[in-house]
Amino acid sequence: MASDIEMDGVSLGEWINRELRADCFFETDGWAMERVRRVNERLQQDRPPETRFIVEVPWMDETVAFTSPGRYVYFSRRLLELCDDEAAAFVIAHEIAHHDLGHLDILPDWIAKMGRSLHLGGAILGSLFLEIEKRIYGPENECAADRHALDLCLAAGYDGLRCLAVFDHLERDALDRRDLDIVYGPDPSDDELDENAGFNTRLKIWFWQRSRGYLPIRDRRAMLLKRLQSLEMEASVGRG
Ligand SMILES: [Zn+2]
Protein backbone atom coordinates (compact mmCIF):
# COMPACT_ATOMS: atom_id res chain seq x y z
CA MET A 1 0.00 0.00 0.00
CA ALA A 2 1.29 3.48 -0.78
CA SER A 3 2.64 5.48 2.10
CA ASP A 4 0.08 7.61 3.86
CA ILE A 5 0.82 10.91 5.57
CA GLU A 6 0.11 10.97 9.31
CA MET A 7 -0.87 14.18 11.06
CA ASP A 8 -2.27 14.54 14.56
CA GLY A 9 -2.72 10.78 14.69
CA VAL A 10 -5.02 10.68 11.67
CA SER A 11 -3.77 9.52 8.32
CA LEU A 12 -4.37 11.66 5.27
CA GLY A 13 -6.30 8.86 3.59
CA GLU A 14 -8.73 8.48 6.49
CA TRP A 15 -9.14 12.23 6.82
CA ILE A 16 -9.96 12.63 3.12
CA ASN A 17 -12.43 9.79 3.35
CA ARG A 18 -14.16 11.47 6.28
CA GLU A 19 -14.31 14.85 4.53
CA LEU A 20 -15.67 13.31 1.33
CA ARG A 21 -18.30 11.43 3.29
CA ALA A 22 -19.41 14.64 4.97
CA ASP A 23 -19.86 16.24 1.56
CA CYS A 24 -21.46 13.63 -0.63
CA PHE A 25 -23.62 10.56 -0.46
CA PHE A 26 -21.79 7.23 -0.48
CA GLU A 27 -23.50 4.12 -1.75
CA THR A 28 -24.08 1.58 1.03
CA ASP A 29 -25.78 -1.40 -0.61
CA GLY A 30 -27.65 -2.53 -3.72
CA TRP A 31 -26.26 -3.53 -7.09
CA ALA A 32 -23.51 -0.89 -7.11
CA MET A 33 -21.89 -2.12 -3.88
CA GLU A 34 -22.46 -5.72 -4.82
CA ARG A 35 -20.58 -5.18 -8.06
CA VAL A 36 -17.60 -3.37 -6.58
CA ARG A 37 -17.31 -5.80 -3.66
CA ARG A 38 -17.47 -8.83 -5.93
CA VAL A 39 -14.92 -7.43 -8.35
CA ASN A 40 -12.64 -6.00 -5.69
CA GLU A 41 -12.51 -9.28 -3.80
CA ARG A 42 -11.61 -11.19 -6.94
CA LEU A 43 -8.92 -8.69 -7.93
CA GLN A 44 -7.26 -8.68 -4.50
CA GLN A 45 -7.74 -12.29 -3.46
CA ASP A 46 -3.99 -12.87 -3.32
CA ARG A 47 -3.23 -9.84 -1.12
CA PRO A 48 -3.13 -10.10 2.66
CA PRO A 49 -6.45 -8.73 4.04
CA GLU A 50 -4.78 -5.84 5.90
CA THR A 51 -3.23 -4.50 2.69
CA ARG A 52 -6.36 -4.65 0.55
CA PHE A 53 -7.89 -1.51 -0.87
CA ILE A 54 -11.46 -0.53 -0.14
CA VAL A 55 -13.62 0.71 -3.01
CA GLU A 56 -16.08 3.49 -2.21
CA VAL A 57 -18.88 4.63 -4.51
CA PRO A 58 -19.66 8.33 -4.07
CA TRP A 59 -22.43 10.09 -5.96
CA MET A 60 -20.53 12.71 -7.94
CA ASP A 61 -21.27 14.56 -11.17
CA GLU A 62 -18.12 13.26 -12.81
CA THR A 63 -17.67 9.96 -14.59
CA VAL A 64 -14.43 9.11 -12.79
CA ALA A 65 -12.38 7.01 -10.47
CA PHE A 66 -9.49 8.25 -8.35
CA THR A 67 -7.48 7.34 -5.30
CA SER A 68 -5.61 9.08 -2.52
CA PRO A 69 -2.83 8.06 -0.15
CA GLY A 70 -4.09 5.30 2.13
CA ARG A 71 -6.44 2.47 1.35
CA TYR A 72 -9.38 3.97 -0.51
CA VAL A 73 -10.31 3.86 -4.17
CA TYR A 74 -13.20 6.09 -5.22
CA PHE A 75 -15.38 4.96 -8.11
CA SER A 76 -18.12 7.45 -9.01
CA ARG A 77 -21.55 5.93 -9.34
CA ARG A 78 -21.92 7.54 -12.75
CA LEU A 79 -18.92 5.67 -14.06
CA LEU A 80 -20.03 2.48 -12.36
CA GLU A 81 -23.38 2.73 -14.13
CA LEU A 82 -21.51 2.38 -17.43
CA CYS A 83 -19.54 -0.69 -16.35
CA ASP A 84 -20.14 -4.41 -16.24
CA ASP A 85 -17.90 -6.52 -13.95
CA GLU A 86 -15.03 -6.65 -16.44
CA ALA A 87 -14.96 -2.90 -17.09
CA ALA A 88 -15.27 -2.21 -13.35
CA ALA A 89 -12.37 -4.58 -12.72
CA PHE A 90 -10.16 -2.57 -15.04
CA VAL A 91 -11.11 0.73 -13.38
CA ILE A 92 -10.39 -0.58 -9.87
CA ALA A 93 -7.19 -2.32 -11.00
CA HIS A 94 -5.97 0.93 -12.57
CA GLU A 95 -6.33 2.77 -9.25
CA ILE A 96 -4.66 -0.05 -7.33
CA ALA A 97 -1.87 0.08 -9.90
CA HIS A 98 -1.13 3.72 -8.98
CA HIS A 99 -0.45 2.48 -5.44
CA ASP A 100 1.50 -0.62 -6.50
CA LEU A 101 3.71 1.53 -8.71
CA GLY A 102 4.32 4.23 -6.09
CA HIS A 103 2.69 7.05 -8.09
CA LEU A 104 1.17 8.68 -5.02
CA ASP A 105 4.58 9.43 -3.62
CA ILE A 106 4.62 12.66 -5.67
CA LEU A 107 2.29 14.34 -3.20
CA PRO A 108 4.08 17.04 -1.25
CA ASP A 109 3.48 17.23 2.51
CA TRP A 110 2.20 20.79 2.35
CA ILE A 111 -0.95 19.65 0.55
CA ALA A 112 -1.87 17.55 3.57
CA LYS A 113 -0.80 20.12 6.11
CA MET A 114 -2.33 23.21 4.53
CA GLY A 115 -5.40 21.34 3.37
CA ARG A 116 -6.12 20.24 6.89
CA SER A 117 -5.36 23.49 8.60
CA LEU A 118 -7.59 25.36 6.15
CA HIS A 119 -10.39 22.84 6.66
CA LEU A 120 -10.86 22.19 2.98
CA GLY A 121 -14.12 20.39 2.50
CA GLY A 122 -14.68 17.05 0.85
CA ALA A 123 -15.79 18.58 -2.45
CA ILE A 124 -12.51 20.47 -2.84
CA LEU A 125 -10.49 17.43 -1.80
CA GLY A 126 -12.40 15.25 -4.21
CA SER A 127 -11.70 17.57 -7.11
CA LEU A 128 -8.06 17.83 -6.03
CA PHE A 129 -7.53 14.08 -6.33
CA LEU A 130 -9.58 14.03 -9.51
CA GLU A 131 -7.22 16.53 -11.08
CA ILE A 132 -4.25 14.53 -9.82
CA GLU A 133 -5.68 11.46 -11.51
CA LYS A 134 -6.30 13.29 -14.77
CA ARG A 135 -3.22 15.42 -15.03
CA ILE A 136 -0.50 14.94 -12.50
CA TYR A 137 0.56 11.35 -12.87
CA GLY A 138 1.40 12.13 -16.48
CA PRO A 139 1.08 9.97 -19.59
CA GLU A 140 3.98 7.67 -18.65
CA ASN A 141 2.50 6.81 -15.28
CA GLU A 142 -0.99 6.46 -16.73
CA CYS A 143 0.32 4.00 -19.34
CA ALA A 144 2.20 2.07 -16.68
CA ALA A 145 -0.95 1.95 -14.51
CA ASP A 146 -3.00 0.77 -17.50
CA ARG A 147 -0.54 -2.04 -18.25
CA HIS A 148 -0.36 -3.11 -14.61
CA ALA A 149 -4.18 -2.96 -14.40
CA LEU A 150 -4.52 -5.28 -17.38
CA ASP A 151 -2.07 -7.70 -15.76
CA LEU A 152 -4.04 -7.62 -12.49
CA CYS A 153 -7.29 -8.30 -14.37
CA LEU A 154 -5.79 -11.20 -16.31
CA ALA A 155 -4.25 -12.64 -13.14
CA ALA A 156 -7.73 -12.56 -11.56
CA GLY A 157 -9.08 -14.51 -14.52
CA TYR A 158 -10.98 -11.71 -16.29
CA ASP A 159 -11.38 -11.61 -20.06
CA GLY A 160 -8.93 -8.89 -21.11
CA LEU A 161 -10.86 -7.81 -24.17
CA ARG A 162 -14.03 -7.33 -22.18
CA CYS A 163 -12.10 -5.31 -19.59
CA LEU A 164 -10.91 -2.95 -22.30
CA ALA A 165 -14.50 -2.15 -23.27
CA VAL A 166 -14.26 0.42 -20.48
CA PHE A 167 -12.48 2.69 -22.96
CA ASP A 168 -15.51 2.61 -25.27
CA HIS A 169 -17.65 3.78 -22.35
CA LEU A 170 -15.17 6.49 -21.43
CA GLU A 171 -14.96 7.70 -25.00
CA ARG A 172 -18.72 7.98 -25.37
CA ASP A 173 -18.88 9.85 -22.10
CA ALA A 174 -16.10 12.24 -23.14
CA LEU A 175 -17.87 12.95 -26.43
CA ASP A 176 -21.09 13.66 -24.56
CA ARG A 177 -19.36 16.17 -22.33
CA ARG A 178 -16.89 18.04 -24.56
CA ASP A 179 -15.58 19.78 -21.48
CA LEU A 180 -12.50 17.74 -20.73
CA ASP A 181 -9.99 20.23 -21.96
CA ILE A 182 -10.09 22.63 -19.09
CA VAL A 183 -6.56 23.81 -18.62
CA TYR A 184 -5.21 24.43 -15.16
CA GLY A 185 -2.77 27.28 -15.56
CA PRO A 186 -1.65 29.78 -12.98
CA ASP A 187 -2.86 33.35 -13.31
CA PRO A 188 -0.15 35.65 -14.68
CA SER A 189 -0.50 37.61 -11.46
CA ASP A 190 0.47 34.63 -9.30
CA ASP A 191 3.99 34.86 -8.02
CA GLU A 192 5.65 31.46 -8.16
CA LEU A 193 8.47 32.46 -5.86
CA ASP A 194 6.33 33.84 -3.09
CA GLU A 195 6.92 31.59 -0.09
CA ASN A 196 3.86 33.01 1.60
CA ALA A 197 1.55 32.24 -1.30
CA GLY A 198 -1.84 30.89 -0.27
CA PHE A 199 -2.94 27.31 -0.69
CA ASN A 200 -4.92 27.90 -3.89
CA THR A 201 -2.04 29.70 -5.56
CA ARG A 202 0.49 27.06 -4.58
CA LEU A 203 -1.87 24.33 -5.68
CA LYS A 204 -2.46 25.93 -9.07
CA ILE A 205 1.28 26.34 -9.61
CA TRP A 206 2.00 22.79 -8.50
CA PHE A 207 -0.62 21.50 -10.92
CA TRP A 208 0.65 23.62 -13.73
CA GLN A 209 4.27 22.59 -13.26
CA ARG A 210 3.35 18.95 -13.45
CA SER A 211 0.55 19.03 -15.92
CA ARG A 212 1.59 17.17 -19.04
CA GLY A 213 -1.80 16.13 -20.23
CA TYR A 214 -2.86 12.55 -20.54
CA LEU A 215 -3.07 10.13 -23.42
CA PRO A 216 -6.18 10.13 -25.57
CA ILE A 217 -8.55 7.29 -24.72
CA ARG A 218 -8.01 5.69 -28.12
CA ASP A 219 -4.24 5.54 -27.68
CA ARG A 220 -4.63 3.93 -24.28
CA ARG A 221 -6.96 1.29 -25.69
CA ALA A 222 -4.73 0.66 -28.73
CA MET A 223 -1.66 0.19 -26.52
CA LEU A 224 -3.47 -2.30 -24.29
CA LEU A 225 -4.93 -4.21 -27.24
CA LYS A 226 -1.42 -4.66 -28.56
CA ARG A 227 -0.24 -5.87 -25.17
CA LEU A 228 -3.14 -8.28 -24.93
CA GLN A 229 -2.40 -9.68 -28.37
CA SER A 230 1.28 -10.17 -27.63
CA LEU A 231 0.46 -11.88 -24.30
CA GLU A 232 -1.92 -14.21 -26.13
CA MET A 233 0.72 -14.93 -28.74
CA GLU A 234 3.27 -15.76 -26.02
CA ALA A 235 0.75 -18.03 -24.32
CA SER A 236 -0.03 -19.89 -27.54
CA VAL A 237 3.69 -20.32 -28.29
CA GLY A 238 4.08 -21.67 -24.73
CA ARG A 239 1.24 -24.12 -25.33
CA GLY A 240 2.55 -25.17 -28.75
ZN1 LIG B 1 -4.71 6.88 -13.47
Side-chain angles (χ1 to χ4, degrees), residues 212-224:
R212 280 168 290 176
Y214 48 110
L215 279 186
I217 291 165
R218 285 191 179 195
D219 292 354
R220 291 174 66 188
R221 179 174 46 201
M223 178 206 61
L224 291 169

Side-chain angles (χ1 to χ4, degrees), residues 179-221:
D179 63 351
L180 293 184
D181 283 323
I182 302 159
V183 176
Y184 256 69
D187 296 336
S189 58
D190 289 341
D191 183 358
E192 260 185 70
L193 300 175
D194 182 2
E195 296 246 312
N196 300 315
F199 183 75
N200 286 339
T201 305
R202 287 176 74 159
L203 195 57
K204 269 196 289 178
I205 291 166
W206 187 75
F207 269 131
W208 181 77
Q209 284 172 340
R210 280 156 191 82
S211 145
R212 280 168 290 176
Y214 48 110
L215 279 186
I217 291 165
R218 285 191 179 195
D219 292 354
R220 291 174 66 188
R221 179 174 46 201

